[in-house]
């Protein structure tokens, strides 16, 4: 009942600091402006000269009926209508989350006295979860308008909702429904207040044995809930997940939640938690990333007792040694035993016939262990200095993928190739040109750190040549067994889809699946 878009790169340049774009409706050309601080402005017109048709595309009729249904449900929003409750109720359990969203919002506009009992009595899991979320949203003030010291807006409603949620069998829910269930608990506590101690203990008894679960998304939600409930064993379990997590995103999920935990800490767990921040000093993010990391650490510091601060002083006062992800990757690989110097011909026959019954979980772990996440974006995780590999399965055959990994310097994309700049004095500067204009050339010499810029005078440059060596190191697979290589390849070729046929069969460990519908913020 909605739309999904995909990005496609069709123009690139070095440099090409684009600041504005517009399509001229008269000539159909794309006009864009380049420029920036101390950079010459340019105006470009881009036109198409190929043979494919440029006629406007026809309408996409896929999902048309679902969109009509969604709009019909949306007509009940914004006002009360005696027909609304019965009309929208069946669609509270619709498989399309956008239809469910429209039905829930329409229900929230109706008098809750007409449908609250029905919501509490609903037994079908999807309808029950959606209806109970609606009931919570209309039964209490938003947390932004209620101080933490105020009592729950309606304790009787909260107890009734928690009772109804408790009747839903966890084992009978899909992965996406488990995410939605934990979301409803979070909204319940936010809107209606914290549970009393007896209820808190019952909830801990229910959810603590379920953590960790099969997928990282559910684990993140369960960790957050158990920290809120101050479960005594969540620190131990979450830090074990941090130690195994192959990406900084997954690690931060647990670290962020644990910052508010006050129970269940041992000296060893406290030490492991704050030592993680020394390691994370080399992680990369946006301009505010380092500031947010400090805020997380500062929140955690407020939970320490004076005695704990004294015991942790060497760690708290330690200055982190910042490593580039590439150096961290090399150290990680050095910790693995050499298996074999794999060649494409060694592995190609197995890749052609052995990509079945593979392990999705191990493939993802290996993607992190050999350093792929350090450079490559994949399924919304990882770095951004190399190409996004999420769609590699649609562009590479198994042999092509092997060749790109085993012989990375054989073919180097112009988008990611470095240049060797030889100066008149014989010095060589290697990196990526970020500005080429006037008398100066600016070169980024560390692809992991955009601030590492060297400025060269053009008059001092003897030559500029493309580097024949890929930034991607060779030998990444040499520390893996053959089965591990195949698991890694299946993970990449699947685009991160645990339901891909390559993971079918007894050896796939599909208990580690991720749910397909992981939207958590309705």
């Amino acid at each position: 009942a909605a739309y999904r878009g995909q990005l496609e790169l069709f123009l690139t340049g070095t440099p090409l600091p684009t600041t504005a774009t517009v399509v001229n409706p008269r000539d159909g050309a794309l006009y864009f402006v380049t420029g920036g601080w101390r950079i010459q402005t340019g105006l470009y017109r881009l036109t198409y000269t190929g043979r494919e048709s440029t006629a406007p595309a026809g309408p996409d009729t896929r999902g048309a009926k679902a969109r009509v249904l969604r709009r019909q449900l949306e007509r009940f929003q914004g006002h009360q209508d005696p027909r609304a409750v019965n009309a929208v109720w069946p669609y509270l359990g619709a498989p399309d989350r956008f239809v469910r969203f429209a039905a829930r919002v329409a229900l929230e506009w109706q008098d809750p006295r007409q449908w609250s009992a029905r919501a509490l009595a609903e037994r079908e899991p999807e309808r029950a979860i959606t209806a109970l979320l609606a009931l919570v949203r209309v039964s209490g003030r938003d947390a932004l308008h209620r101080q933490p010291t105020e009592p729950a807006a309606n304790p009787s409603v909260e107890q009734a909702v928690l009772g109804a949620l408790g009747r839903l069998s966890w084992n009978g829910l899909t992965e996406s429904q488990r995410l939605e269930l934990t979301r409803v608990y979070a909204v319940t506590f936010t809107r209606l207040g914290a549970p009393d101690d007896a209820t808190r203990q019952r909830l801990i008894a229910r959810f603590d044995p379920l953590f960790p679960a099969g997928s990282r998304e559910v684990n993140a939600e369960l960790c957050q809930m158990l920290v809120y409930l101050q479960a005594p064993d969540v620190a131990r379990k979450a830090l074990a997940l941090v130690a195994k997590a192959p990406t900084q995103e997954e690690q931060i999920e647990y670290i962020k939640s644990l910052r508010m935990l006050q129970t269940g800490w041992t000296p060893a767990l406290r030490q492991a938690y704050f030592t993680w921040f020394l390691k994370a000093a080399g992680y990369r993010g946006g301009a505010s990333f380092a500031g947010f990391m400090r805020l997380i650490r500062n929140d955690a510091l407020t939970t320490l007792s004076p005695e704990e601060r004294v015991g942790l002083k060497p760690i708290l006062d330690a200055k982190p040694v910042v490593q580039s992800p590439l150096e961290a990757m090399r150290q990680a690989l050095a910790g693995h035993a050499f298996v074999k110097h794999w060649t494409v011909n060694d592995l190609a026959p197995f890749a052609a016939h052995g990509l079945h019954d593979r392990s999705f979980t191990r493939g993802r772990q290996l993607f992190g262990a050999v350093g792929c996440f350090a450079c490559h974006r994949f399924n919304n995780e990882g770095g951004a200095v190399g190409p996004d590999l999420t769609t590699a399965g649609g562009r590479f055959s198994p042999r092509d993928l092997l060749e790109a990994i085993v012989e990375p310097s054989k073919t180097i994309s112009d988008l990611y190739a470095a240049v060797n700049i030889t100066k008149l004095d014989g010095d060589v500067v290697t990196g990526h040109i970020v500005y080429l204009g006037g008398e100066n050339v600016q070169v980024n010499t560390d692809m992991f750190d955009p601030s590492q810029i060297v400025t060269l005078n053009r008059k001092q440059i003897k030559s500029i040549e493309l580097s024949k060596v890929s930034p991607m190191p060779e030998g990444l697979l040499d520390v893996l067994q053959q089965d591990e290589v195949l698991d890694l390849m299946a993970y990449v070729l699947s685009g991160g889809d645990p339901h891909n046929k390559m993971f079918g069969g007894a050896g796939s460990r599909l208990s580690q699946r991720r749910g397909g519908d992981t939207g958590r913020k309705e």
Side-chain angles (χ1 to χ4, degrees), residues 128-181:
I129 292 171
T130 308
L132 291 171
L133 176 60
L135 181 57
V136 170
R137 283 169 51 86
V138 301
S139 298
R141 283 177 287 174
D142 189 288
L144 293 175
H145 307 104
R146 175 172 59 80
Q147 297 301 317
T149 55
E150 291 186 43
N154 194 333
S156 61
V157 172
E158 181 175 26
Q159 288 300 320
V161 169
L162 292 176
L165 292 173
R167 289 195 299 268
L168 297 174
S169 170
W170 182 267
N171 291 334
L173 301 178
T174 66
E175 207 77 339
S176 61
Q177 288 170 345
R178 291 173 179 176
L179 286 169
E180 292 167 6
L181 179 68

Side-chain angles (χ1 to χ4, degrees), residues 27-75:
D27 63 6
L30 173 67
Y31 291 80
F32 63 94
V33 177
T34 62
W37 183 64
R38 298 178 65 182
I39 296 176
Q40 176 65 47
T41 296
L43 172 64
Y44 295 82
R45 179 179 65 185
L46 182 65
T47 58
Y48 177 64
T49 58
R51 296 182 178 181
E52 295 183 34
S53 172
T54 57
D60 187 345
T61 59
R62 293 173 296 177
K65 292 183 179 179
R67 290 191 289 276
V68 169
L69 172 60
R70 190 199 75 212
R71 295 186 186 106
Q72 289 174 344
L73 296 172
E74 289 170 347
R75 293 193 185 104

Side-chain angles (χ1 to χ4, degrees), residues 327-382:
E327 182 60 31
M329 178 187 70
R330 287 171 176 156
Q331 290 191 8
L333 290 176
H336 289 73
F338 176 81
V339 174
K340 180 180 179 179
H341 180 63
W342 292 108
T343 67
V344 175
N345 290 334
D346 287 336
L347 295 167
F350 300 104
H353 304 290
L355 295 181
H356 55 83
D357 296 341
R358 306 316 318 168
S359 168
F360 175 85
T361 302
R362 188 165 70 169
R364 181 172 180 269
Q365 291 172 341
L366 291 168
F367 195 84
V370 299
C372 302
F373 273 125
C375 299
H376 296 284
R377 200 74 181 159
F378 189 83
N379 204 20
N380 292 323
E381 294 183 284

Side-chain angles (χ1 to χ4, degrees), residues 205-399:
R206 180 187 184 189
F207 287 104
D208 185 67
L210 301 175
F211 180 66
S215 73
R216 62 156 293 194
E217 289 82 5
V218 174
N219 278 338
E221 295 296 330
L222 286 176
C223 180
Q224 182 172 256
M225 178 191 292
L226 290 169
V227 168
Y228 176 80
L229 297 171
Q230 296 294 307
D233 206 27
V234 64
R236 179 185 64 83
K237 294 180 177 182
L239 287 174
L241 291 174
V242 170
K244 295 189 298 183
T247 69
Q248 67 180 47
E249 290 88 348
E250 184 177 354
Q251 294 173 30
I252 293 171
E253 284 275 14
Y254 307 125
I255 293 294
K256 171 180 65 68
S257 293
L258 288 175
R259 80 192 194 283
M260 306 305 293
L261 184 67
Q262 296 178 332
T263 62
W265 290 105
T266 65
L269 291 175
R270 285 291 200 190
Q271 182 174 343
Y273 181 83
F274 284 100
T275 298
W276 178 88
F277 287 95
L278 300 177
K279 169 187 172 183
Y283 289 171
R284 295 293 188 272
S288 300
F289 180 77
F292 284 124
M293 295 295 288
R294 284 194 297 272
L295 291 175
I296 293 173
R297 186 176 184 271
N298 289 341
D299 281 344
L301 288 172
T302 64
T303 67
L304 294 176
S305 67
E307 294 76 16
E308 287 175 320
R309 283 180 177 269
V310 171
L312 293 169
K313 192 175 188 304
I315 295 174
L316 299 180
D317 292 345
K319 300 297 182 183
V321 178
V322 180
Q323 292 180 318
S324 75
L326 190 60
E327 182 60 31
M329 178 187 70
R330 287 171 176 156
Q331 290 191 8
L333 290 176
H336 289 73
F338 176 81
V339 174
K340 180 180 179 179
H341 180 63
W342 292 108
T343 67
V344 175
N345 290 334
D346 287 336
L347 295 167
F350 300 104
H353 304 290
L355 295 181
H356 55 83
D357 296 341
R358 306 316 318 168
S359 168
F360 175 85
T361 302
R362 188 165 70 169
R364 181 172 180 269
Q365 291 172 341
L366 291 168
F367 195 84
V370 299
C372 302
F373 273 125
C375 299
H376 296 284
R377 200 74 181 159
F378 189 83
N379 204 20
N380 292 323
E381 294 183 284
V385 296
D388 189 319
L389 297 181
T390 308
T391 60
R395 296 182 287 117
F396 292 102
S397 68
R399 184 182 181 90

